[in-house]
Amino acid sequence: MASFSFMRINIPLLVIVLNLMFTTPAVLSCPASDRDALLAFRAALNESYLGIFNSWKGTECCHNWYGVSCDPETGRVADINLRGESEDPIFQKAHRTGYMTGFISPSVCKLERLSSLTIADWKAISGEIPRCITSLPFLRILDLIGNRISGDLPADIGRLHRLTVLNVADNMLSGQIPRSLTNLSSLMHLDLRNNRISGPLPPDFGRLPMLSRALLSRNYLSGPIPPSISSIYRLADLDLSLNSLTGTIPASLGKMAVLATLNLDANKLSGYVPASLFTSSIGNLNLSRNALQGYLPDVFGPRSYFTVLDLSYNIFKGPIPKTLSAASYIGHLDLSHNHLCGRIPSGSPFDHLEASSFAFNDCLCGKPLTKTC
């Protein structure tokens, strides 16, 4: 009876153990095709200071290959994350940032399940963005900031419907913004700063419903600011500074729900400044170094809150709006190099500003200037 009781007690336990043995998923190995693609990608790059690629050996590319991670369900390579500026111990030990030459091999496009590709801040990676990059259906992040990549953005980049981050800032890209870019319905972060991109902004730029940051400064963009931008409900930061944009500022930009930063400085914009910009949610507004004209709208009030309000180097005339004194906060104000005239209002924010904020106008007077009224 004791033996029978032992069997009755342990048979269910044995079944549980066997079930666990056969139902626990095995650790998936790196497919040979992915490993070969990574090694071909590695062969096009040269990094001789940090030994970034020293761990890229053996058959298991999903385990302990620096900067490579895989999808635990499929075993396919999902992420390549190689940053030349990092807090990783390998950088701290060497007491330096990264430096890498070479180019991005088209072999990376053979990683069919790739979700993110980050090859950032290596300073000397050159060549073009592989055209085949647009064939990666699962790509969500493309971050190539801080290299010397040239050529155009792929014309059919709009095929990357899952793309949420496109960061190619601080490179040598040229050509125009592809019209297909506005098909990136999942895009949240767009950074094209400091390149050589020319031509107009796509007129249907507003077809990017998820976009929260659009950073396009220091390029050669021309033409008008598309009014359609104002239809991007989530857009919080818009930087179009240091380009050659012309035309007027769309008044609808001042009616955007969450726009907090608007940098349009150093362009060729003209016409009047929409009053809506001064009564909006924008707290960092830089319109300096344009050809904006007319009187400054006297529409400020308690809801006006500016960390930066820079209107310098334009053709504004007339008095400084008295309602500026009613603003709840103005941290930095620059009205210099215009044609303003009259008494500088007293009180906040004028009592903490320096004379340089009002210099080189036609006939401003009063503190903090030395000229009395």
Side-chain angles (χ1 to χ4, degrees), residues 151-169:
D152 302 349
L153 285 169
D156 58 346
I157 198 167
R159 295 174 59 191
L160 298 173
H161 295 296
R162 288 183 169 88
L163 199 68
T164 60
V165 174
L166 176 57
N167 187 353
V168 292

Side-chain angles (χ1 to χ4, degrees), residues 76-127:
R76 301 295 301 274
V77 172
D79 304 291
I80 298 177
N81 186 5
L82 301 174
R83 294 189 178 277
E85 297 179 2
S86 171
E87 296 181 359
D88 190 277
I90 195 171
F91 292 86
Q92 296 179 356
K93 184 177 180 180
H95 301 290
R96 63 168 297 147
T97 58
Y99 185 84
M100 191 183 299
T101 58
F103 63 95
I104 301 173
S105 170
S107 63
V108 76
C109 303
K110 297 179 181 178
L111 301 170
E112 299 167 350
R113 302 289 299 192
L114 197 64
S115 176
S116 69
L117 177 61
T118 298
I119 310 170
D121 296 314
W122 292 102
K123 303 176 183 66
I125 293 177
S126 57

